[in-house]
Amino acid sequence: TPAPDTVDIALANSTMTKSVLVMGAPTNDISIAACLDTDAISAVGTYAAARTASRKVFCTLMPRTNAGGGGNRNTAQFQTVRASYNDLAQSTFGPLGYFVADIGRDATIGVSGAASNSAVFPDGTHLSDAGEPIYTRIIDDAVSPRGRRKLINRIASWRR
């Protein structure tokens, strides 16, 4: 396992009583390293379980046009695994009471083909300044009171 390249503030500051952990989707693991969707879900879940946070948010995968980037998957293969990962994120993390920011279903930055929109994906992979606010809005919506009600209703439907 590679060493982390960021500081996990929730772990570094033990006096924090409330924090939000946002788990971005492992796009490069799936695209370049050809990680399986189930392995990616397991890795993200394991990482999050080891962190203390009052709210944990899991993001679904956005599309990309240049999947592979010297790696093992072409764009079509990436899109297939992306769809499966996104479904697994919903069905795995939602029932655990975690928030899921469903970026992969957003009409502007999430749906298949969205990465071809150079206004939000200038290089086919990374968001532009115009795309970032959409991404953060989806995360914010997931943890808002309205998002919390949606999560509670979804969990109730899974228990029926």
Side-chain angles (χ1 to χ4, degrees):
T1 305
D5 58 1
T6 58
V7 175
D8 189 338
I9 300 300
L11 290 179
N13 184 350
S14 61
T15 64
M16 291 180 77
T17 57
K18 293 191 180 242
S19 59
V20 177
L21 172 67
V22 178
M23 297 294 301
T27 305
N28 288 341
D29 294 343
I30 289 174
S31 175
I32 297 168
C35 180
L36 296 174
D37 50 354
T38 52
D39 291 341
I41 288 287
S42 178
V44 168
T46 299
Y47 180 88
R51 271 77 191 155
T52 302
S54 59
R55 293 180 180 175
K56 296 180 182 179
V57 182
F58 294 85
C59 298
T60 58
L61 280 164
M62 295 181 295
R64 59 193 293 167
T65 59
N66 59 353
N72 298 314
R73 285 217 168 96
N74 64 35
T75 300
Q77 292 167 329
F78 173 80
Q79 295 302 346
T80 299
V81 177
R82 177 180 91 91
S84 180
Y85 176 91
N86 289 350
D87 289 343
L88 280 170
Q90 292 283 356
S91 64
T92 301
F93 301 128
L96 294 174
Y98 297 145
F99 297 92
V100 178
D102 201 359
I103 293 161
R105 282 186 177 52
D106 181 77
T108 304
I109 66 169
V111 295
S112 186
S116 296
N117 179 351
S118 61
V120 288
F121 287 95
D123 65 357
T125 300
H126 303 98
L127 290 171
S128 67
D129 289 346
E132 286 290 338
I134 299 167
Y135 186 87
T136 56
R137 177 195 41 82
I138 296 166
I139 294 168
D140 187 50
D141 287 350
V143 297
S144 71
R146 184 175 55 91
R148 183 72 179 158
R149 281 192 301 280
K150 280 175 46 181
L151 175 66
I152 291 167
N153 291 337
R154 206 176 302 153
I155 292 170
S157 72
W158 287 323
R159 292 185 177 157
R160 288 184 206 138

